[in-house]
Amino acid sequence: FHKLQASFSFGVNNFSPQRFAHLLVQLSRAGYLIGEDKHNQSGKRLIFSFDDGYQHLAANLLPFIEQYQFQPLIFVPTALIGKSNSWDYSHWFQSTPHLERREIRELANRGAIFGSHGHAHVDLTALSERRLKMELRQSREILSDLAAQEIKAISYPFGRFNASLIEAAEWSGYQTGFTMRFPTDNDHPMATGRIPIY
């Protein structure tokens, strides 16, 4: 997922909270484990990830976290904390703010897990080795401090990755890398596929 807001949004990456609520109900009925359920260990466990770390997640995700006791995985571009999505073409039509520092802390305290989306939300495969390592290290350090968590995962901005990026991410301490490709049984831990929701 990316956006989770009830109001109109330019682009194709918004999924309204109402639709999200309906999806959770349907998945639960189909036997999927949405969150921590100590009485049901037979279902398939799901991970819900949110790229870009938009501010509306602070309010719109909390009711679902409380109801289902699930831990969303939120990927944040740390240079844009508290700023608008100036990196995105939709910014020219509708500015969307990113999470603020206090909201990251609150979400983390309520059970959300945070991961890196790079520092400046740029194509990491196009950077020099020095700039790439700075992006990976800086993002991880900032998020670790704010969320009081060990930052283990990264979602590659725009879904772009290559062998050099994977090597640099592992060197920087990341244990899992997420792409925008559909998952397969042969996924590498640092190139894990996800089902994109639009």
Side-chain angles (χ1 to χ4, degrees):
F1 297 89
H2 290 82
K3 296 178 181 177
L4 192 71
Q5 53 187 0
S7 58
F8 172 78
S9 174
F10 284 93
V12 297
N13 62 1
N14 185 46
F15 202 81
S16 74
Q18 294 81 5
R19 291 181 70 197
F20 190 66
H22 180 71
L23 177 64
L24 293 180
V25 169
Q26 295 301 313
L27 289 170
S28 294
R29 289 177 179 169
Y32 288 92
L33 295 180
I34 304 301
E36 293 299 324
D37 185 350
K38 295 175 181 170
H39 303 292
N40 181 7
Q41 299 299 323
S42 60
K44 296 179 180 179
R45 186 167 303 281
L46 296 172
I47 297 174
F48 295 88
S49 64
F50 294 83
D51 284 6
D52 303 330
Y54 287 118
Q55 186 176 33
H56 59 260
L57 294 177
N60 295 346
L61 264 181
L62 282 177
F64 299 114
I65 293 174
E66 293 173 1
Q67 180 177 354
Y68 289 94
Q69 299 299 304
F70 81 104
Q71 295 181 295
L73 180 53
I74 303 172
F75 293 103
V76 177
T78 48
L80 298 169
I81 292 173
K83 300 177 182 178
S84 69
N85 61 330
S86 57
W87 56 270
D88 188 15
Y89 75 92
S90 68
H91 170 77
W92 297 103
F93 305 99
Q94 180 184 48
S95 178
T96 307
H98 293 276
L99 288 164
E100 296 183 0
R101 289 174 174 264
R102 61 177 177 79
E103 293 164 331
I104 291 173
R105 292 189 187 101
E106 181 183 6
L107 281 164
N109 288 335
R110 303 289 279 275
I113 300 171
F114 283 87
S116 170
H117 205 35
H119 185 58
H121 202 298
V122 295
D123 179 0
L124 298 177
T125 66
L127 302 181
S128 67
E129 182 180 356
R130 180 176 173 274
R131 172 87 190 279
L132 173 59
K133 288 184 176 179
M134 183 278 294
E135 279 264 336
L136 295 170
R137 185 187 71 252
Q138 195 168 14
S139 174
R140 192 164 181 261
E141 289 174 354
I142 291 170
L143 277 177
S144 178
D145 179 61
L146 282 176
Q149 300 173 356
E150 181 184 1
I151 305 304
K152 300 178 180 179
I154 181 169
S155 170
Y156 306 117
F158 309 108
R160 297 177 190 147
F161 69 100
N162 56 25
S164 297
L165 173 51
I166 288 175
E167 183 180 353
E170 288 181 316
W171 180 87
S172 300
Y174 294 96
Q175 300 174 22
T176 308
F178 288 95
T179 74
M180 293 296 290
R181 302 184 311 185
F182 277 86
T184 72
D185 292 337
N186 299 319
D187 280 355
H188 185 278
M190 292 303 297
T192 302
R194 296 178 290 177
I195 299 175
I197 307 296
Y198 293 105

